[in-house]
Amino acid sequence: MCPDHDHAHPIAVNVSDSAEPGPAPAANLIEELVISNHILFDQGVVDAFGHVSVRHNARPDHFLLARNMAPGRVTPADVVEFTLDGEAVNAGGRKVYLERFIHGEIYRKRPDVMAVVHSHSHAIVPLSVVKGVRLQAIFHMAGFVGQGAPVFEIREAGGDATDLLISNNHLGRALADKFVGHDIVLMRGHGSTVVGSSLPQAVYRAVYAEINARYQLQASLLGEVTYLTEGESRTCIQNVEGQVQRPWDLWVEQARAKRSVQHTKS
Ligand SMILES: [Zn+2]
């Protein structure tokens, strides 16, 4: 961190509840968000950092995101409602994620997006920093990656002395602009953000983007790589990603089983 600079800020922040509460979100949406946090941890997409959000079912100008904590530990009581500006409705004095602006600005930019995953998953980061190399769809599970995922360069919007975090709406908007025509954006020296039309789809994409990145690194060590064409990507999104419920049901079952065992032991 850089405490001597004007732009220094903690990564967990206190906010006052400045937005008016409206209709409560559906209980099953909160449950789905909680289990998404657990799955992303179980699948190695997030560790103690990273976050997942969902658009409010009754208020499209609000979204739900856990308070500042490790995703693997989130419970329904930890879910906080925010406006697209990142103002909290019911934080109640609890610390929230600094980078909530990623979520709000993407929901504003892309009305079709219902869920957002931000992570620093391990194989993605190298692909965010090498000049002339882009993350590209390499296998049928990851058609959504496309033929060259954009890389967000924070220096263009925030100068050359940031901590690389999306710490305000200005930076959030600059990132969200990259999502026009793309469902995954890499963030240089930081990680990636993936969007979907539901939590299961966004989680699926975050998991398979990481696997795609790993395969791309491995394949390029072996020799020249053949990537999916645009047409193959499109067909795979329709046919393979259409099966998102299959891995989702498995992951949900695993996440529940794992945590019920832990509860029994404690
Ligand atoms: Zn981050």
Side-chain angles (χ1 to χ4, degrees):
M1 300 310 285
C2 34
D4 299 333
H5 291 190
D6 287 334
H7 56 258
H9 44 67
I11 61 167
V13 286
N14 280 111
V15 288
S16 52
D17 292 333
S18 44
E20 287 296 312
N28 61 353
L29 193 67
I30 292 180
E31 278 298 329
E32 197 170 57
L33 180 60
V34 169
I35 202 93
S36 295
N37 275 273
H38 299 167
I39 292 169
L40 289 166
F41 174 68
D42 293 350
Q43 298 299 315
V45 174
V46 299
D47 45 24
F49 298 93
H51 23 87
V52 51
S53 70
V54 67
R55 197 189 285 269
H56 193 306
N57 58 293
R59 288 209 62 173
D61 59 337
H62 283 205
F63 67 94
L64 310 172
L65 177 72
R67 68 178 173 88
N68 190 295
M69 64 187 302
R73 300 180 52 234
V74 170
T75 71
D78 298 311
V79 173
V80 179
E81 182 179 333
F82 294 94
T83 68
L84 299 189
D85 289 330
E87 290 174 345
V89 172
N90 57 347
R94 295 170 293 176
K95 283 187 166 38
V96 300
Y97 295 121
L98 173 71
E99 289 195 295
R100 62 196 182 282
F101 305 105
I102 294 173
H103 303 264
E105 292 300 337
I106 291 174
Y107 290 124
R108 197 192 318 269
K109 185 85 189 176
R110 290 270 307 266
D112 60 309
V113 167
M114 294 296 149
V116 176
V117 176
H118 167 65
S119 81
H120 316 142
S121 70
H122 298 178
I124 294 267
V125 175
L127 283 154
S128 77
V129 296
V130 177
K131 292 193 172 79
V133 179
R134 306 271 294 274
L135 178 71
Q136 290 190 62
I138 205 171
F139 77 139
H140 66 307
M141 304 300 285
F144 64 89
V145 165
Q147 283 54 61
V151 178
F152 173 71
E153 172 49 81
I154 197 166
R155 287 175 197 164
E156 288 169 12
D160 65 0
T162 69
D163 51 18
L164 290 99
L165 302 175
I166 306 297
S167 53
N168 57 49
N169 287 102
H170 168 69
L171 293 171
R173 268 193 299 277
L175 174 66
D177 284 346
K178 294 278 183 189
F179 279 88
V180 177
H182 298 278
D183 290 331
I184 177 166
V185 172
L186 274 56
M187 301 152 79
R188 196 263 309 157
H190 180 173
S192 69
T193 300
V194 188
V195 300
S197 59
S198 66
L199 276 167
Q201 188 183 43
V203 168
Y204 167 100
R205 287 176 167 179
V207 169
Y208 283 104
E210 166 65 15
I211 297 173
N212 191 100
R214 209 182 308 148
Y215 286 168
Q216 190 172 336
L217 292 169
Q218 290 166 341
S220 51
L221 290 175
L222 296 171
E224 195 185 340
V225 180
T226 302
Y227 294 99
L228 266 60
T229 63
E230 203 180 329
E232 286 171 339
S233 265
R234 218 176 14 246
T235 312
C236 289
I237 292 171
Q238 255 171 31
N239 297 357
V240 186
E241 225 182 296
Q243 304 284 310
V244 62
Q245 201 64 34
R246 195 197 307 185
W248 174 258
D249 289 344
L250 172 70
W251 293 333
V252 166
E253 193 176 280
Q254 286 177 329
R256 289 207 175 118
K258 193 170 155 185
R259 283 160 185 85
S260 70
V261 170
Q262 282 169 353
H263 283 303
T264 323
K265 277 184 186 163
S266 58

